[in-house]
Amino acid sequence: MVDIAKRSGVALSTVSYALSGKRPVSAETRERIQQAIQELDYQPHAPARALKSRTSRAIGLFFPATRDTLEIETHIFLAGIAEATSELDYSLLVSTATHDPAGIVRPLETGRADGVILMEVRLADDRVERLRAEGRPFSLIGRCSNNEGVAYVDFDFEDAVKTAVHHLYDLGHRHIALLNRAPLLAGADYGPTVRSLAGFEAALDELSLHGQQLVCGASGESYIEVLRFLERTPECTAAITLSVTHAPLLTALNDLGLRVPEDFTIVAIIASQVADLVTPPLTTIEMPAFELGRLGAEILIRKLAADDLPPSQVVLRGTLQVRSSRHPPARRRP
Amino acid sequence: MVDIAKRSGVALSTVSYALSGKRPVSAETRERIQQAIQELDYQPHAPARALKSRTSRAIGLFFPATRDTLEIETHIFLAGIAEATSELDYSLLVSTATHDPAGIVRPLETGRADGVILMEVRLADDRVERLRAEGRPFSLIGRCSNNEGVAYVDFDFEDAVKTAVHHLYDLGHRHIALLNRAPLLAGADYGPTVRSLAGFEAALDELSLHGQQLVCGASGESYIEVLRFLERTPECTAAITLSVTHAPLLTALNDLGLRVPEDFTIVAIIASQVADLVTPPLTTIEMPAFELGRLGAEILIRKLAADDLPPSQVVLRGTLQVRSSRHPPARRRP
DNA sequence: CTGTTAGCGCGTTCAT
DNA sequence: ATGAACGCGCTAACAG
């Protein structure tokens, strides 16, 4: 900055004010300064700014991805978060220390980030309690049981499963399975799992249908379990899958010689980008994962700009998408 | 720091030296300082460190993910990079301004990062030239034509395709298709695409086989093209797919009533985490995407620690993995 | 082995 | 509308 001050013949502080606009600077002076900035290819030093201003213009993301688990929606969230963050001229700090309440405040305490985004939020989440207690800015992709004063974006799994059940009912199916996600997390208080089951049971009840929940873990293990279920439950003609649970189901159906959708119908609750890759084409309730990520970042950054506003709380619904030209009505399985 | 200096009755600088170890501090003093740090829950202020030390202990990643493209391997790279970075006590800055040579040096110029990782590298890449010209630390996941002095990790696509061709040859296939990736990038100088084709042609030549390359774009568009190809080329009984190109192929085969692997054989060059999700189970050449990401980060951080060492250059090979219990020999398509 | 002190680059108050 | 000067939290050179 001292170089560009000299070159444009003004004081150091004038350069600062010209850049921040926090004090009026004559048009002519500003012009000279801009020119010097161009010529010297000046770039403000982020750490110096952060030291003085006590803000880093960065947000932290705790990203729960490991070598062995591939939860594609999680990755699409990240893509959306990264895009929104870049557009709003913030930096994005990605950390993998995801489920430790102490680790979660680290980027904040060390001045690396001004706020954080949490994913894979539990209904009762230590990390959320900690952040709230310390008065730290944060947003969730997902939500807890009690969300007072918490900014979040979430997908409406309950509604999605209900919609799926009704769709299958209309096709004539009377016995439906729900392949629910096995939370990688301890305990059974993972929001999407709990809310999906709630929607399932409510819809079954309303329509007087038979149904059964299967909790699916990693592909390899769940395959056998799903296969056994299909073998002993021939009256089940359709399933609703969450996230990647369509994989063990498709494999099992393939092994039993059952074709989709002719012999068995699936409604998959997944992101459209994932649906594009699955064979055979599945009917889906599409989860706008990229948009959820974008919104999660936008909500946090908005809160950073104006802390006094009430926190944004958004729940997005999924839309039904039929991807096959064949829509056979339900019938007994061969 | 001044608080912890007072509390432990020493000078400010002694605290600094106790933390950095750059000067001997008596065990007793060090102990008192550590205790004060615990009691006050002191966390060093990262921007202040960065300002003084001129290093941020952060690396930047340019992450080429958008709303509409889902290149899953790219996401797995990121997971590996994030894990290694966290383990080595660095921060990871993720940006989406991926293909602009000016944008690529921004995190370095502004002092936010000490080095950067590039993905989707072209054989002749402006960004690499720029970084090299400015003497910036960086590493590549992928590589250029000329890699003098450049640190990189890459997957051996040429070898993978050769291995795949030989495997198919051994099964009796005599006419093989290569579903190559359509580079999202301008021009035809995308390393994996070029090297895959090279391996394909070399292996075909060596074994006197027939073959054909199909360039696949996004799932929707490529599906028709693949379908037409299968219809007019009945002598082709097997294909090698790269990345997500197995998706349009599987859809087309499904529509033609051809079963895998009974009627048509596929060798997919993908990450194992992706292979776990594909139905039917495919024979694969597995790309260690997570490890590639880890290595890319480790190589960069190692370079940051000791700039004088020769740059690490690593090329990993894929391993053949048969995932189906059925191995039918090649036969004419029904 | 320990203490004193001068900046790192920037934002901002105070004086002009 | 502009300039001079101080300090953010930390590192390291200098002095003991």
Side-chain angles (χ1 to χ4, degrees):
Chain A
M1 260 175 79
V2 60
D3 289 345
I4 98 120
K6 277 181 191 159
R7 196 169 172 79
S8 48
V10 295
L12 194 59
S13 58
T14 306
V15 177
S16 175
Y17 286 121
L19 286 174
S20 70
K22 293 201 177 179
R23 216 169 63 175
V25 172
S26 75
E28 184 206 358
T29 309
R30 198 173 338 114
E31 186 50 46
R32 283 215 316 284
I33 291 174
Q34 282 303 337
Q35 197 173 336
I37 286 176
Q38 296 294 327
E39 289 169 10
L40 297 182
D41 190 29
Y42 163 79
Q43 297 283 129
H45 189 75
R49 281 206 163 153
L51 176 58
K52 180 61 191 178
S53 69
R54 309 187 145 285
T55 57
S56 59
R57 279 194 84 79
I59 60 175
L61 171 69
F62 293 92
F63 184 57
T66 62
R67 175 188 275 99
D68 302 314
T69 69
L70 179 57
E71 188 72 31
I72 304 183
E73 277 76 10
T74 299
H75 288 259
I76 301 179
F77 290 152
L78 168 53
I81 292 168
E83 190 184 276
T85 305
S86 287
E87 279 177 16
L88 296 171
D89 197 28
Y90 266 70
S91 292
L92 177 64
L93 228 55
V94 175
S95 161
T96 56
T98 51
H99 287 294
D100 167 30
I104 235 76
V105 294
R106 189 76 52 84
L108 274 358
E109 289 177 336
T110 58
R112 285 188 184 277
D114 300 336
V116 294
I117 301 181
L118 263 45
M119 302 177 13
E120 283 191 0
V121 181
R122 298 188 221 174
L123 291 174
D125 200 302
D126 290 349
R127 304 170 301 166
V128 174
E129 287 315 311
R130 171 85 177 246
L131 289 166
R132 195 185 346 218
E134 297 193 12
R136 307 285 193 178
F138 65 98
S139 73
L140 309 178
I141 297 181
R143 64 195 201 272
C144 304
S145 302
N146 169 18
N147 297 291
E148 253 187 70
V150 174
Y152 67 77
V153 218
D154 200 3
F155 180 69
D156 195 336
F157 283 97
E158 187 167 344
D159 175 74
V161 174
K162 281 183 186 169
T163 304
V165 173
H166 279 268
H167 175 73
L168 292 170
Y169 177 83
D170 292 344
L171 289 177
H173 296 278
R174 294 296 175 265
H175 193 117
I176 301 170
L178 173 70
L179 269 62
N180 214 341
R181 272 192 22 163
L184 318 160
L185 328 160
D189 66 341
Y190 183 50
T193 303
V194 171
R195 296 196 180 97
S196 297
L197 181 57
F200 188 58
E201 291 179 337
L204 291 182
D205 203 50
E206 184 189 343
L207 300 170
S208 302
L209 295 182
H210 297 280
Q212 182 165 351
Q213 177 190 225
L214 272 175
V215 174
C216 284
S219 215
E221 314 151 21
S222 300
Y223 158 73
I224 295 290
E225 203 183 330
V226 174
L227 189 72
R228 298 257 185 284
F229 168 77
L230 290 172
E231 283 175 340
R232 72 165 183 267
T233 322
E235 64 273 25
C236 174
T237 53
I240 298 163
T241 66
L242 284 157
S243 179
V244 295
T245 61
H246 59 80
L249 175 59
L250 284 172
T251 307
L253 289 168
N254 187 56
D255 283 10
L256 293 172
L258 295 173
R259 305 199 57 166
V260 177
E262 287 79 358
D263 305 322
F264 196 93
T265 301
I266 298 176
V267 177
I269 300 176
I270 49 179
S272 63
Q273 296 92 335
V274 180
D276 285 341
L277 297 179
V278 178
T279 315
L282 299 180
T283 293
T284 56
I285 310 281
E286 298 200 343
M287 172 175 172
F290 195 89
E291 280 66 30
L292 285 164
R294 283 201 60 108
L295 270 174
E298 286 171 11
I299 280 176
L300 175 58
I301 292 173
R302 195 179 313 143
K303 185 189 222 172
L304 258 19
D307 195 28
D308 47 335
L309 297 178
S312 310
Q313 302 190 332
V314 182
V315 178
L316 297 185
R317 294 196 163 185
T319 53
L320 182 78
Q321 193 80 27
V322 178
R323 289 173 170 255
S324 170
S325 46
R326 301 171 304 220
H327 311 260
R331 59 175 192 203
R332 282 204 67 73
R333 275 177 23 207
Chain B
M1 258 174 80
V2 61
D3 289 344
I4 99 120
K6 276 182 192 159
R7 196 170 172 79
S8 49
V10 295
L12 190 62
S13 60
T14 305
V15 178
S16 175
Y17 287 118
L19 286 173
S20 70
K22 295 204 176 178
R23 217 168 63 173
V25 172
S26 77
E28 183 205 356
T29 308
R30 200 173 337 115
E31 186 51 45
R32 282 215 316 282
I33 290 173
Q34 282 301 338
Q35 197 174 336
I37 286 176
Q38 297 292 329
E39 290 170 8
L40 298 181
D41 190 29
Y42 164 79
Q43 297 283 130
H45 189 75
R49 282 206 163 152
L51 176 60
K52 179 62 192 181
S53 69
R54 309 187 146 286
T55 57
S56 58
R57 278 193 87 78
I59 61 174
L61 170 68
F62 292 92
F63 183 56
T66 62
R67 173 187 277 99
D68 302 313
T69 69
L70 179 59
E71 189 73 29
I72 303 182
E73 277 76 11
T74 299
H75 288 259
I76 300 177
F77 289 154
L78 168 53
I81 291 169
E83 190 184 275
T85 304
S86 287
E87 279 177 17
L88 296 170
D89 197 28
Y90 266 70
S91 293
L92 177 64
L93 228 55
V94 175
S95 160
T96 56
T98 50
H99 287 295
D100 167 32
I104 234 76
V105 294
R106 187 77 52 85
L108 275 356
E109 290 177 335
T110 57
R112 285 190 183 276
D114 300 337
V116 293
I117 302 182
L118 262 45
M119 304 179 8
E120 283 191 359
V121 181
R122 298 187 222 178
L123 291 174
D125 200 301
D126 290 349
R127 303 170 301 167
V128 174
E129 286 316 311
R130 171 85 177 248
L131 289 166
R132 190 179 358 214
E134 296 193 10
R136 308 284 192 178
F138 65 98
S139 73
L140 309 178
I141 297 182
R143 63 196 201 273
C144 303
S145 302
N146 171 19
N147 298 291
E148 253 188 69
V150 174
Y152 66 77
V153 220
D154 200 3
F155 180 69
D156 196 336
F157 283 96
E158 187 167 346
D159 175 74
V161 174
K162 280 182 186 168
T163 304
V165 172
H166 279 266
H167 175 72
L168 292 170
Y169 177 84
D170 293 344
L171 289 176
H173 296 278
R174 293 299 175 262
H175 193 115
I176 300 169
L178 173 69
L179 270 60
N180 214 339
R181 272 194 21 164
L184 317 161
L185 328 159
D189 66 340
Y190 182 50
T193 303
V194 171
R195 296 196 181 95
S196 297
L197 181 57
F200 188 58
E201 290 179 338
L204 291 182
D205 203 51
E206 183 190 340
L207 300 169
S208 303
L209 295 181
H210 298 281
Q212 183 165 347
Q213 177 190 226
L214 272 176
V215 174
C216 285
S219 215
E221 314 151 22
S222 300
Y223 157 74
I224 293 290
E225 204 184 329
V226 174
L227 189 73
R228 298 255 184 286
F229 167 78
L230 290 171
E231 284 177 337
R232 72 165 183 267
T233 323
E235 64 273 26
C236 174
T237 54
I240 298 162
T241 65
L242 285 156
S243 180
V244 293
T245 62
H246 58 82
L249 175 60
L250 284 172
T251 307
L253 289 168
N254 188 54
D255 284 8
L256 293 172
L258 295 173
R259 305 200 55 166
V260 178
E262 285 79 357
D263 306 321
F264 196 92
T265 301
I266 298 177
V267 177
I269 300 176
I270 48 180
S272 63
Q273 296 92 334
V274 180
D276 286 341
L277 297 180
V278 179
T279 316
L282 299 179
T283 293
T284 56
I285 310 282
E286 298 199 344
M287 172 172 171
F290 195 89
E291 280 67 31
L292 285 163
R294 283 201 59 108
L295 271 174
E298 286 171 11
I299 281 177
L300 175 58
I301 292 173
R302 194 180 312 143
K303 185 191 226 173
L304 257 19
D307 195 28
D308 47 335
L309 298 178
S312 310
Q313 303 189 330
V314 182
V315 178
L316 297 185
R317 293 196 167 185
T319 53
L320 184 78
Q321 194 78 27
V322 178
R323 288 172 171 257
S324 170
S325 47
R326 302 170 302 215
H327 312 259
R331 60 174 192 203
R332 281 204 67 72
R333 279 185 9 215

